[in-house]
Amino acid sequence: MKLSVIIPVYNGEKYIKDCLDSLVTQNKSDVKNFEIIIIDDGSTDNTQSVLNSYLQSDERNIKKIYQTNQGVSIARNNGINQATGDYLFFVDIDDLVTKNWFELINNNLKTESDIYIYNYIRSTKGAIKIQQLFQKDGIEKNTILKEYILTDKLNMVCLNVIKADFLRNSLVKFNKDIRIGEDAFFFGELLRITNRIEYINNQYYIYRENLESVSFSKDLRLKDRDALFTYKELLLQDCEVKLTTQEINTFYIGYLGNLFSLLRYSAQVDNYQYFLKVCGELKKMNLNTRILQYEFKNLSHRRLWQYTNYYTGRYKWVFIELKLEILIINVYKALRR
């Protein structure tokens, strides 16, 4: 089995060497069994020169593709088109893989599933933590689908090793018009059409939390975030997954939490003007309509109080700015029916 590693990069001069070093530290006998495809998405820093210097000093099977700046989705799609491996997976330029990544992945390809899902290692300011997605191997598709709908744990495409023939025959591509959550849409479409998916209770990927990355950028892309929620909502209606009332409550409350994640970012970067921009955009888009219409019938008063008290305590002025007290009143009325 041959593996193709697809790496989109935009202004990644600080990360290229570390990322590639982590990938190529394999036994020489393994080198012929994988290829690395780097797609430079029109970088404006020294990415090209750093990359060229690296390629001159290493004779591994590394391909370089240059494109004008068109976004990570088109970069990944171009990488898929150039890949010659039987299986492929994606790496972000500011992340790493473990030393045994090739052996770990290669040993699990014998079942020839369409998609393999792995845990990952989260690195935040030097602190390391294994993010275990499920408790054991042998998870059924419906369980994976439920986790995808209810949480954001499966939104990272870098946790998936995908069969190349299955991907090409599916005609699924990364959506060039989506910049926030394009991974989640891509994985959701593949998950929807396959019955050959396998969870491996192990990890090869090291996700380095980086506030400078696209996912932490100041580009709100609120329509993208709302579109992902709507997509999962439709998927929930179309699929055979059965959710309890409590799980449905969790789904809709999670949407509210996602809006607050934007405000948490404004706190992280300590940018009050950015916070005001988020508030203004949220109010204009009226994103809460579906939640306001939803009846939280079995949501306990204690759970509701804990949830609202946490956010009102930490971001009291947010409720004033966004008039989210209306949401709380409506939820409370639903409980009183």
Side-chain angles (χ1 to χ4, degrees):
M1 292 289 185
K2 182 178 179 180
L3 285 169
S4 295
V5 187
I6 298 173
I7 310 175
V9 55
Y10 176 74
N11 289 352
E13 61 179 353
K14 294 190 295 185
Y15 310 107
I16 291 174
K17 187 177 186 305
D18 287 346
C19 181
L20 292 180
D21 280 349
S22 73
L23 282 161
V24 301
T25 53
Q26 303 294 315
N27 295 328
K28 291 184 178 180
S29 59
D30 293 333
V31 174
K32 65 180 182 299
N33 294 321
F34 71 86
E35 64 179 356
I36 298 172
I37 303 172
I38 301 178
I39 308 94
D40 183 356
D41 184 31
S43 295
T44 58
D45 64 355
N46 291 322
T47 290
Q48 277 287 314
S49 60
V50 174
L51 183 55
N52 289 337
S53 177
Y54 191 96
L55 296 181
Q56 289 175 2
S57 63
D58 197 295
E59 297 179 354
R60 312 291 177 121
N61 191 10
I62 302 176
K63 299 179 182 177
K64 183 185 71 171
I65 301 172
Y66 180 84
Q67 65 178 41
T68 57
N69 182 242
Q70 300 173 74
V72 66
S73 290
I74 290 183
R76 285 175 174 156
N77 289 337
N78 285 340
I80 293 170
N81 293 337
Q82 295 295 321
T84 61
D86 301 292
Y87 281 83
L88 53 86
F89 71 98
F90 302 91
V91 174
D92 288 342
I93 196 65
D94 48 354
D95 294 333
L96 308 170
V97 293
T98 59
K99 290 182 178 180
N100 66 333
W101 72 267
F102 179 82
E103 179 183 5
L104 178 62
I105 293 175
N106 195 51
N107 288 344
N108 289 310
L109 296 180
K110 297 173 184 176
T111 59
E112 296 192 9
S113 294
D114 293 333
I115 306 173
Y116 295 88
I117 303 175
Y118 289 80
N119 304 323
Y120 67 101
I121 301 169
R122 178 184 288 269
S123 174
T124 307
K125 295 182 179 180
I128 302 295
K129 184 178 180 180
I130 294 177
Q131 303 291 323
Q132 187 169 353
L133 302 181
F134 301 96
Q135 294 302 312
K136 59 181 181 179
D137 293 333
I139 301 297
E140 295 181 350
K141 174 184 172 177
N142 276 0
T143 302
I144 296 173
L145 189 55
K146 180 187 290 189
E147 194 70 18
Y148 168 76
I149 292 172
L150 292 179
T151 75
D152 60 0
K153 292 196 299 186
L154 300 177
N155 286 358
M156 292 171 54
V157 73
C158 297
L159 309 183
N160 308 320
V161 177
I162 305 168
K163 194 172 188 176
D165 286 344
F166 160 71
L167 177 56
R168 293 191 178 98
N169 291 335
S170 74
L171 303 181
V172 173
K173 298 285 187 182
F174 286 95
N175 190 328
K176 64 181 178 61
D177 296 320
I178 294 176
R179 290 190 58 192
I180 301 294
E182 75 286 340
D183 299 44
F185 281 102
F186 179 81
F187 177 69
E189 283 298 282
L190 294 179
L191 179 58
R192 185 176 61 82
I193 63 178
T194 184
N195 289 313
R196 296 172 57 83
I197 186 167
E198 187 173 346
Y199 166 65
I200 307 297
N201 192 5
N202 212 326
Q203 52 281 330
Y204 67 86
Y205 197 82
I206 303 174
Y207 168 68
R208 298 198 290 182
E209 197 165 59
N210 172 22
L211 293 180
E212 296 177 0
S213 69
V214 172
S215 58
F216 280 95
S217 73
K218 295 181 181 180
D219 187 357
L220 299 180
R221 304 293 294 188
L222 293 180
K223 290 183 179 179
D224 290 356
R225 298 173 191 272
D226 194 45
L228 178 58
F229 177 82
T230 302
Y231 173 77
K232 289 189 174 184
E233 192 176 41
L234 293 173
L235 194 60
L236 179 60
Q237 296 170 4
D238 293 341
C239 68
E240 298 178 357
V241 174
K242 303 296 182 183
L243 298 183
T244 65
T245 302
Q246 183 178 358
E247 287 171 333
I248 294 175
N249 289 337
T250 300
F251 175 65
Y252 282 92
I253 282 183
Y255 176 62
L256 179 59
N258 183 265
L259 300 185
F260 276 107
S261 70
L262 295 172
L263 302 168
R264 280 197 295 273
Y265 170 75
S266 68
Q268 283 177 301
V269 298
D270 194 23
N271 188 331
Y272 184 65
Q273 292 303 314
Y274 177 75
F275 163 77
L276 293 178
K277 180 180 178 182
V278 174
C279 290
E281 290 299 313
L282 288 177
K283 285 195 291 186
K284 281 194 300 184
M285 290 191 64
N286 191 26
L287 298 180
N288 299 322
T289 303
R290 286 189 301 282
I291 299 182
L292 289 172
Q293 294 173 348
Y294 183 75
E295 297 181 4
F296 294 78
K297 292 181 178 177
N298 291 345
L299 185 63
S300 71
H301 285 71
R302 178 176 291 276
R303 178 75 178 93
L304 177 63
W305 169 250
Q306 289 173 341
Y307 185 81
T308 56
N309 190 53
Y310 170 77
Y311 285 115
T312 53
R314 189 172 180 183
Y315 301 113
K316 192 170 183 178
W317 27 280
V318 172
F319 272 76
I320 297 173
E321 284 283 347
L322 301 181
K323 303 189 187 310
L324 288 179
E325 67 271 14
I326 296 174
L327 170 62
I328 303 306
I329 291 171
N330 278 272
V331 173
Y332 182 78
K333 285 181 178 178
L335 289 171
R336 300 285 293 179
R337 290 175 184 170

